[in-house]
Amino acid sequence: MPFSALGIIDHLRKALDQEGYTSPTPIQKEAIPVILDGNDLLACAQTGTGKTAAFALPVLQLLHQSRMHGEKRKIRCLVLTPTRELAIQIGESFTAYGRHTGLINTVIFGGVNQNPQTARLVQGVDILVATPGRLLDLIGQGHLHLRDIEYFVLDEADRMLDMGFIHDIRRVLAVLPKKRQSLFFSATMPPEIIKLSAAILHNPKEVMVTPVSSTVEIINQQILFVDRENKNSLLAHLLKERNIASALVFTRTKHGADKVARFLAHHNITAEAIHGNKSQNARQRALGNFKTRQTRVLVATDIAARGIDIDELEYVINIDLPNIPETYVHRIGRTGRAGNRGAAYSFCNAEEKAYLRDIEKLIARKIPVIEEHPFPMTNFDVEPPKPAASKKGNAGHNEPKPKQPQPHNPAETGTKRPGRKRRFFGKRS
Ligand code: AMP
């Protein structure tokens, strides 16, 4: 099906040709007509499905068609997104798709000097892509208002809640016009997300594509069992032995990311780490070096990697298995984009076997194991030592503490606390 069948205008189709998009992805097929018809939208889709174009194209079209020539630009569309990286990428998408429409977007996010951002606002923009904190800051300082918003997009709503943005979202909602078209995107639909969507949307049409587990089908996944202390050596070995020219490597902690990057550098493998402790400039520089292949390995934590959009990323390597199975799917979804094949290697030590079981349950498949490698697991101590039979009231009190998996740190991983169940639209295949 061509984009013209969805009613996309020439100005946008020309840009899509230049981007090399020949046909819409499933979320685009479903969402674009609904949005062009003026409906609110509740969409369940994750990064990698083409969801950005699914909202950017119809919004650009509606703005373009109703724009009064000669009129001063006002902010008519707000896209709220959780991270700086996502904000930048969404801004780049609006620029690319809207290059023949004359519409102007700008991106605002925290952690950098606000002056260049306010200068752009003064010049006038049609579309604003923002993270919540900086948006509220600039509103508070009187640099912008949202009175003219006609289109409001809430992107990655589940991540927003995970990252504690609920109050900021409410504050933004309070200053948006009541009469507007709202588009709500979330990779998952737990009850709190449904509740939030009900507060934002009016008679929404619902669109659900590819339940999170089925996007992993085109990705070649493999597990390597290895002791914790040998993980870095195994990584260096894998990169060399498999001639991996470019890989995104995930660690659970910021400290871990730095350690891996240093280890690889010592082994003459160019590597940089990105995580929340790095400045925005350092993160963008590292991402740029990785995209241009000056750096072979980008080591990232989950939050920092959120929304990283690198075309043709072939390899994802999980140095640590995440304790939230959906995070695994988000991680490996960085590869295998837009129909490309991808490969994901995951290292698993004894303590992480329980995480592996949860992941395999979610994706409803066994991940094949690479048995042959130079650092096979020697510590099989999976189960914590059982406390000796003890008297009532003193159960295991003086026993050595069982080895625990690393504590979960939602601020760093951007994932939910263990034990909180997520509900998915659609069935898990
Ligand atoms: P997203 O889910 O918005 O992060 O998009 C994932 C990737 O798919 C991005 O690299 C887009 O450039 C790409 N993409 C989006 N729509 C299409 C399309 N219709 N055809 C080919 N690639 C696309």
Side-chain angles (χ1 to χ4, degrees):
M1 176 201 269
F3 278 99
S4 56
L6 298 177
I8 293 291
I9 54 174
D10 287 350
H11 291 77
L12 296 172
R13 289 218 310 273
K14 202 163 138 197
L16 293 175
D17 281 348
Q18 287 167 306
E19 288 298 298
Y21 298 3
T22 49
S23 56
T25 64
I27 182 77
Q28 292 161 7
K29 262 185 220 157
E30 294 203 44
I32 290 174
V34 165
I35 301 171
L36 287 178
D37 271 352
N39 297 292
D40 278 9
L41 177 78
L42 176 61
C44 188
Q46 64 176 132
T47 305
T49 54
K51 71 178 168 68
T52 313
F55 64 75
L57 290 170
V59 164
L60 282 163
Q61 179 153 330
L62 292 167
L63 288 173
H64 179 70
Q65 287 174 330
S66 58
R67 187 160 164 240
M68 301 289 213
H69 285 279
E71 201 188 31
K72 191 173 176 302
R73 287 179 201 276
K74 35 191 199 185
I75 304 170
R76 296 171 61 202
C77 171
L78 170 68
V79 181
L80 212 52
T81 191
T83 67
R84 313 178 249 211
E85 285 78 9
L86 270 169
I88 291 169
Q89 280 161 13
I90 293 169
E92 285 170 356
S93 297
F94 270 105
T95 304
Y97 309 146
R99 58 165 79 98
H100 304 297
T101 62
L103 293 163
I104 294 178
N105 76 80
T106 198
V107 178
I108 60 175
F109 47 82
V112 291
N113 185 331
Q114 70 175 45
N115 294 342
Q117 298 176 357
T118 54
R120 287 288 307 269
L121 291 170
V122 169
Q123 286 163 18
V125 300
D126 306 285
I127 300 153
L128 181 64
V129 184
T131 55
R134 177 57 60 93
L135 175 69
L136 289 165
D137 252 12
L138 296 190
I139 293 175
Q141 294 173 41
H143 287 293
L144 70 107
H145 64 77
L146 302 176
R147 288 192 291 273
D148 299 311
I149 294 296
E150 295 165 43
Y151 305 97
F152 171 54
V153 183
L154 188 68
D155 183 42
E156 308 247 340
D158 51 354
R159 292 282 145 182
M160 290 270 202
L161 294 203
D162 287 347
M163 291 169 74
F165 284 137
I166 184 67
H167 299 297
D168 285 349
I169 294 173
R170 293 233 160 87
R171 286 168 64 200
V172 172
L173 288 175
V175 292
L176 284 179
K178 294 270 171 295
K179 189 170 170 304
R180 56 167 201 260
Q181 189 176 352
S182 304
L183 315 173
F184 187 105
F185 285 79
S186 188
T188 58
M189 290 285 163
E192 61 266 37
I193 285 290
I194 306 269
K195 201 170 141 204
L196 177 64
S197 74
I200 294 178
L201 302 171
H202 180 66
N203 284 339
K205 297 268 190 255
E206 291 182 12
V207 166
M208 303 143 218
V209 294
T210 16
V212 72
S213 52
S214 61
T215 58
V216 300
E217 274 156 24
I218 54 166
I219 300 165
N220 179 17
Q221 303 164 66
Q222 289 177 301
I223 286 281
L224 296 96
F225 289 106
V226 55
D227 295 331
R228 180 181 296 283
E229 57 275 21
N230 287 332
K231 283 184 168 184
N232 288 350
S233 305
L234 179 59
L235 174 64
H237 166 80
L238 200 66
L239 291 165
K240 286 183 178 155
E241 191 225 28
R242 310 235 157 178
N243 282 326
I244 297 177
S246 177
L248 179 59
V249 170
F250 281 95
T251 62
R252 204 177 304 130
T253 65
K254 302 176 209 179
H255 179 62
D258 283 332
K259 265 173 68 176
V260 172
R262 275 200 304 272
F263 180 92
L264 293 177
H266 273 127
H267 288 74
N268 297 322
I269 297 169
T270 53
E272 285 185 84
I274 56 166
H275 52 64
N277 285 1
K278 302 252 172 180
S279 72
Q280 175 63 9
N281 284 344
R283 287 155 79 169
Q284 282 305 316
R285 203 170 44 240
L287 190 57
N289 289 342
F290 183 61
K291 281 186 177 181
T292 54
R293 303 260 169 143
Q294 279 165 272
T295 311
R296 187 168 162 196
V297 176
L298 188 65
V299 191
T301 56
D302 291 295
I303 282 231
R306 205 55 213 142
I308 285 185
D309 180 13
I310 302 157
D311 293 331
E312 291 162 37
L313 177 63
E314 251 184 285
Y315 293 94
V316 163
I317 303 176
N318 294 312
I319 281 262
D320 302 311
L321 276 184
N323 50 355
I324 306 293
E326 285 88 351
T327 302
Y328 171 83
V329 179
H330 283 302
R331 286 182 180 186
I332 70 167
R334 310 284 112 205
T335 172
R337 288 277 174 107
N340 293 325
R341 290 197 72 77
Y345 296 110
S346 301
F347 297 173
C348 179
N349 63 15
E351 290 159 345
E352 292 168 325
K353 283 189 172 179
Y355 303 158
L356 178 59
R357 276 197 296 275
D358 288 347
I359 290 166
E360 292 186 327
K361 208 163 131 200
L362 173 71
I363 64 174
R365 60 174 61 200
K366 273 243 164 285
I367 305 174
V369 177
I370 298 182
E371 308 274 2
E372 290 297 314
H373 67 77
F375 303 97
M377 189 187 262
T378 55
N379 175 9
F380 296 93
D381 182 18
V382 187
E383 300 301 330
K386 289 218 164 45
S390 55
K391 288 190 193 102
K392 207 174 145 200
N394 188 28
H397 192 66
N398 294 322
E399 293 301 319
K401 282 246 174 339
K403 255 191 184 173
Q404 290 295 333
Q406 291 213 344
H408 176 66
N409 177 359
E412 175 55 29
T413 61
T415 53
K416 288 189 161 237
R417 283 185 296 284
R420 287 171 68 193
K421 283 258 183 305
R422 291 182 169 207
R423 186 157 70 80
F424 287 82
F425 272 144
K427 78 175 176 34
R428 289 178 178 151
S429 51

mmCIF file of all heavy atoms in Angstrom, residues 80 108 130-142 144 146 165 167-173 175:
data_model
loop_
_atom_site.group_PDB
_atom_site.id
_atom_site.type_symbol
_atom_site.label_atom_id
_atom_site.label_comp_id
_atom_site.label_asym_id
_atom_site.label_seq_id
_atom_site.Cartn_x
_atom_site.Cartn_y
_atom_site.Cartn_z
ATOM 1 N N LEU A 80 5.039 15.807 23.864
ATOM 2 C CA LEU A 80 5.701 15.622 25.158
ATOM 3 C C LEU A 80 6.334 14.236 25.173
ATOM 4 O O LEU A 80 5.651 13.239 24.878
ATOM 5 C CB LEU A 80 4.636 15.729 26.251
ATOM 6 C CG LEU A 80 5.023 16.288 27.610
ATOM 7 C CD1 LEU A 80 5.726 17.621 27.495
ATOM 8 C CD2 LEU A 80 3.773 16.433 28.479
ATOM 9 N N ILE A 108 12.877 21.343 23.015
ATOM 10 C CA ILE A 108 13.416 21.861 24.281
ATOM 11 C C ILE A 108 13.542 20.735 25.299
ATOM 12 O O ILE A 108 12.680 19.873 25.399
ATOM 13 C CB ILE A 108 12.569 23.039 24.844
ATOM 14 C CG1 ILE A 108 11.127 22.633 25.131
ATOM 15 C CG2 ILE A 108 12.592 24.230 23.916
ATOM 16 C CD1 ILE A 108 10.312 23.733 25.802
ATOM 17 N N ALA A 130 9.059 18.551 23.464
ATOM 18 C CA ALA A 130 9.616 18.946 24.765
ATOM 19 C C ALA A 130 9.652 17.801 25.753
ATOM 20 O O ALA A 130 8.818 16.887 25.708
ATOM 21 C CB ALA A 130 8.777 20.082 25.349
ATOM 22 N N THR A 131 10.621 17.869 26.667
ATOM 23 C CA THR A 131 10.560 17.030 27.868
ATOM 24 C C THR A 131 9.833 17.866 28.935
ATOM 25 O O THR A 131 9.878 19.105 28.884
ATOM 26 C CB THR A 131 11.966 16.615 28.346
ATOM 27 O OG1 THR A 131 12.755 17.787 28.536
ATOM 28 C CG2 THR A 131 12.647 15.715 27.330
ATOM 29 N N PRO A 132 9.165 17.201 29.888
ATOM 30 C CA PRO A 132 8.251 17.953 30.755
ATOM 31 C C PRO A 132 8.915 19.025 31.633
ATOM 32 O O PRO A 132 8.388 20.121 31.763
ATOM 33 C CB PRO A 132 7.620 16.857 31.629
ATOM 34 C CG PRO A 132 7.850 15.584 30.910
ATOM 35 C CD PRO A 132 9.087 15.739 30.111
ATOM 36 N N GLY A 133 10.065 18.694 32.225
ATOM 37 C CA GLY A 133 10.676 19.617 33.190
ATOM 38 C C GLY A 133 11.027 20.957 32.556
ATOM 39 O O GLY A 133 10.634 22.027 33.046
ATOM 40 N N ARG A 134 11.765 20.927 31.472
ATOM 41 C CA ARG A 134 12.185 22.174 30.817
ATOM 42 C C ARG A 134 10.975 22.936 30.266
ATOM 43 O O ARG A 134 10.938 24.167 30.309
ATOM 44 C CB ARG A 134 13.214 21.856 29.724
ATOM 45 C CG ARG A 134 13.714 23.008 28.890
ATOM 46 C CD ARG A 134 14.349 24.166 29.652
ATOM 47 N NE ARG A 134 15.527 23.888 30.459
ATOM 48 C CZ ARG A 134 16.787 24.018 30.041
ATOM 49 N NH1 ARG A 134 17.040 24.427 28.821
ATOM 50 N NH2 ARG A 134 17.796 23.741 30.852
ATOM 51 N N LEU A 135 9.994 22.196 29.787
ATOM 52 C CA LEU A 135 8.785 22.864 29.273
ATOM 53 C C LEU A 135 8.145 23.697 30.383
ATOM 54 O O LEU A 135 7.856 24.884 30.197
ATOM 55 C CB LEU A 135 7.784 21.818 28.750
ATOM 56 C CG LEU A 135 6.441 22.380 28.291
ATOM 57 C CD1 LEU A 135 6.593 23.207 27.021
ATOM 58 C CD2 LEU A 135 5.416 21.266 28.056
ATOM 59 N N LEU A 136 7.951 23.074 31.548
ATOM 60 C CA LEU A 136 7.306 23.798 32.650
ATOM 61 C C LEU A 136 8.174 24.961 33.125
ATOM 62 O O LEU A 136 7.658 26.038 33.446
ATOM 63 C CB LEU A 136 7.016 22.823 33.803
ATOM 64 C CG LEU A 136 5.882 21.835 33.497
ATOM 65 C CD1 LEU A 136 5.877 20.680 34.501
ATOM 66 C CD2 LEU A 136 4.520 22.528 33.494
ATOM 67 N N ASP A 137 9.479 24.761 33.125
ATOM 68 C CA ASP A 137 10.422 25.831 33.474
ATOM 69 C C ASP A 137 10.222 27.049 32.587
ATOM 70 O O ASP A 137 10.108 28.169 33.056
ATOM 71 C CB ASP A 137 11.844 25.325 33.199
ATOM 72 C CG ASP A 137 12.587 25.052 34.471
ATOM 73 O OD1 ASP A 137 11.940 25.033 35.508
ATOM 74 O OD2 ASP A 137 13.813 24.838 34.374
ATOM 75 N N LEU A 138 10.220 26.795 31.291
ATOM 76 C CA LEU A 138 10.141 27.912 30.341
ATOM 77 C C LEU A 138 8.764 28.569 30.363
ATOM 78 O O LEU A 138 8.650 29.778 30.177
ATOM 79 C CB LEU A 138 10.507 27.451 28.913
ATOM 80 C CG LEU A 138 11.950 26.956 28.708
ATOM 81 C CD1 LEU A 138 12.265 26.775 27.234
ATOM 82 C CD2 LEU A 138 12.970 27.899 29.337
ATOM 83 N N ILE A 139 7.728 27.755 30.627
ATOM 84 C CA ILE A 139 6.391 28.358 30.775
ATOM 85 C C ILE A 139 6.406 29.272 32.006
ATOM 86 O O ILE A 139 5.954 30.410 31.965
ATOM 87 C CB ILE A 139 5.297 27.265 30.916
ATOM 88 C CG1 ILE A 139 5.149 26.477 29.607
ATOM 89 C CG2 ILE A 139 3.951 27.901 31.299
ATOM 90 C CD1 ILE A 139 4.179 25.287 29.692
ATOM 91 N N GLY A 140 6.988 28.740 33.099
ATOM 92 C CA GLY A 140 7.054 29.506 34.356
ATOM 93 C C GLY A 140 7.791 30.828 34.180
ATOM 94 O O GLY A 140 7.436 31.836 34.778
ATOM 95 N N GLN A 141 8.809 30.814 33.335
ATOM 96 C CA GLN A 141 9.585 32.040 33.109
ATOM 97 C C GLN A 141 8.924 32.952 32.074
ATOM 98 O O GLN A 141 9.468 33.999 31.731
ATOM 99 C CB GLN A 141 10.984 31.680 32.615
ATOM 100 C CG GLN A 141 11.846 30.953 33.615
ATOM 101 C CD GLN A 141 13.144 30.493 32.946
ATOM 102 O OE1 GLN A 141 13.750 31.208 32.151
ATOM 103 N NE2 GLN A 141 13.551 29.279 33.245
ATOM 104 N N GLY A 142 7.821 32.522 31.530
ATOM 105 C CA GLY A 142 7.103 33.362 30.567
ATOM 106 C C GLY A 142 7.667 33.322 29.154
ATOM 107 O O GLY A 142 7.362 34.179 28.320
ATOM 108 N N LEU A 144 7.091 30.918 26.960
ATOM 109 C CA LEU A 144 6.118 30.368 26.032
ATOM 110 C C LEU A 144 4.817 30.084 26.752
ATOM 111 O O LEU A 144 4.780 30.020 27.980
ATOM 112 C CB LEU A 144 6.649 29.083 25.368
ATOM 113 C CG LEU A 144 6.779 27.841 26.248
ATOM 114 C CD1 LEU A 144 5.697 26.830 25.913
ATOM 115 C CD2 LEU A 144 8.124 27.197 26.028
ATOM 116 N N LEU A 146 0.896 27.746 26.098
ATOM 117 C CA LEU A 146 0.330 26.649 25.296
ATOM 118 C C LEU A 146 -1.130 26.927 24.909
ATOM 119 O O LEU A 146 -1.883 26.009 24.590
ATOM 120 C CB LEU A 146 0.438 25.317 26.074
ATOM 121 C CG LEU A 146 1.850 24.905 26.495
ATOM 122 C CD1 LEU A 146 1.811 23.627 27.340
ATOM 123 C CD2 LEU A 146 2.744 24.689 25.278
ATOM 124 N N PHE A 165 7.039 11.263 35.938
ATOM 125 C CA PHE A 165 6.599 12.535 35.346
ATOM 126 C C PHE A 165 5.108 12.815 35.511
ATOM 127 O O PHE A 165 4.603 13.756 34.916
ATOM 128 C CB PHE A 165 6.929 12.571 33.844
ATOM 129 C CG PHE A 165 8.373 12.814 33.535
ATOM 130 C CD1 PHE A 165 9.027 12.088 32.546
ATOM 131 C CD2 PHE A 165 9.083 13.797 34.213
ATOM 132 C CE1 PHE A 165 10.361 12.315 32.251
ATOM 133 C CE2 PHE A 165 10.417 14.037 33.926
ATOM 134 C CZ PHE A 165 11.059 13.293 32.941
ATOM 135 N N HIS A 167 3.185 14.103 37.755
ATOM 136 C CA HIS A 167 2.745 15.433 38.220
ATOM 137 C C HIS A 167 3.034 16.494 37.162
ATOM 138 O O HIS A 167 2.227 17.396 36.931
ATOM 139 C CB HIS A 167 3.422 15.789 39.545
ATOM 140 C CG HIS A 167 3.070 14.807 40.621
ATOM 141 N ND1 HIS A 167 1.777 14.652 41.061
ATOM 142 C CD2 HIS A 167 3.811 13.900 41.296
ATOM 143 C CE1 HIS A 167 1.749 13.694 41.968
ATOM 144 N NE2 HIS A 167 2.968 13.225 42.118
ATOM 145 N N ASP A 168 4.181 16.358 36.502
ATOM 146 C CA ASP A 168 4.509 17.315 35.435
ATOM 147 C C ASP A 168 3.482 17.218 34.306
ATOM 148 O O ASP A 168 3.049 18.236 33.763
ATOM 149 C CB ASP A 168 5.911 17.026 34.871
ATOM 150 C CG ASP A 168 7.004 17.479 35.824
ATOM 151 O OD1 ASP A 168 6.664 18.192 36.798
ATOM 152 O OD2 ASP A 168 8.173 17.121 35.609
ATOM 153 N N ILE A 169 3.087 15.999 33.976
ATOM 154 C CA ILE A 169 2.100 15.843 32.897
ATOM 155 C C ILE A 169 0.799 16.544 33.300
ATOM 156 O O ILE A 169 0.206 17.283 32.521
ATOM 157 C CB ILE A 169 1.828 14.344 32.599
ATOM 158 C CG1 ILE A 169 3.084 13.683 32.036
ATOM 159 C CG2 ILE A 169 0.671 14.186 31.610
ATOM 160 C CD1 ILE A 169 2.955 12.177 31.866
ATOM 161 N N ARG A 170 0.394 16.339 34.542
ATOM 162 C CA ARG A 170 -0.848 16.982 35.016
ATOM 163 C C ARG A 170 -0.746 18.500 34.929
ATOM 164 O O ARG A 170 -1.708 19.179 34.561
ATOM 165 C CB ARG A 170 -1.126 16.567 36.473
ATOM 166 C CG ARG A 170 -1.465 15.101 36.600
ATOM 167 C CD ARG A 170 -2.790 14.887 37.354
ATOM 168 N NE ARG A 170 -3.330 13.565 37.051
ATOM 169 C CZ ARG A 170 -3.002 12.458 37.715
ATOM 170 N NH1 ARG A 170 -2.146 12.514 38.714
ATOM 171 N NH2 ARG A 170 -3.542 11.298 37.375
ATOM 172 N N ARG A 171 0.427 19.029 35.265
ATOM 173 C CA ARG A 171 0.596 20.490 35.216
ATOM 174 C C ARG A 171 0.533 21.001 33.779
ATOM 175 O O ARG A 171 -0.004 22.067 33.505
ATOM 176 C CB ARG A 171 1.922 20.888 35.878
ATOM 177 C CG ARG A 171 1.841 20.758 37.406
ATOM 178 C CD ARG A 171 3.192 20.855 38.059
ATOM 179 N NE ARG A 171 3.817 22.161 37.883
ATOM 180 C CZ ARG A 171 5.122 22.372 38.016
ATOM 181 N NH1 ARG A 171 5.940 21.386 38.294
ATOM 182 N NH2 ARG A 171 5.603 23.573 37.858
ATOM 183 N N VAL A 172 1.076 20.206 32.864
ATOM 184 C CA VAL A 172 1.000 20.604 31.449
ATOM 185 C C VAL A 172 -0.457 20.558 30.985
ATOM 186 O O VAL A 172 -0.950 21.490 30.331
ATOM 187 C CB VAL A 172 1.887 19.698 30.556
ATOM 188 C CG1 VAL A 172 1.661 19.996 29.079
ATOM 189 C CG2 VAL A 172 3.360 19.868 30.910
ATOM 190 N N LEU A 173 -1.160 19.479 31.340
ATOM 191 C CA LEU A 173 -2.563 19.327 30.926
ATOM 192 C C LEU A 173 -3.405 20.519 31.386
ATOM 193 O O LEU A 173 -4.288 20.993 30.675
ATOM 194 C CB LEU A 173 -3.164 18.041 31.497
ATOM 195 C CG LEU A 173 -2.679 16.740 30.870
ATOM 196 C CD1 LEU A 173 -3.255 15.548 31.615
ATOM 197 C CD2 LEU A 173 -3.057 16.679 29.394
ATOM 198 N N VAL A 175 -2.691 23.530 31.561
ATOM 199 C CA VAL A 175 -2.563 24.779 30.782
ATOM 200 C C VAL A 175 -2.808 24.559 29.285
ATOM 201 O O VAL A 175 -2.561 25.448 28.479
ATOM 202 C CB VAL A 175 -1.184 25.463 31.004
ATOM 203 C CG1 VAL A 175 -1.090 25.972 32.430
ATOM 204 C CG2 VAL A 175 -0.030 24.516 30.688
#
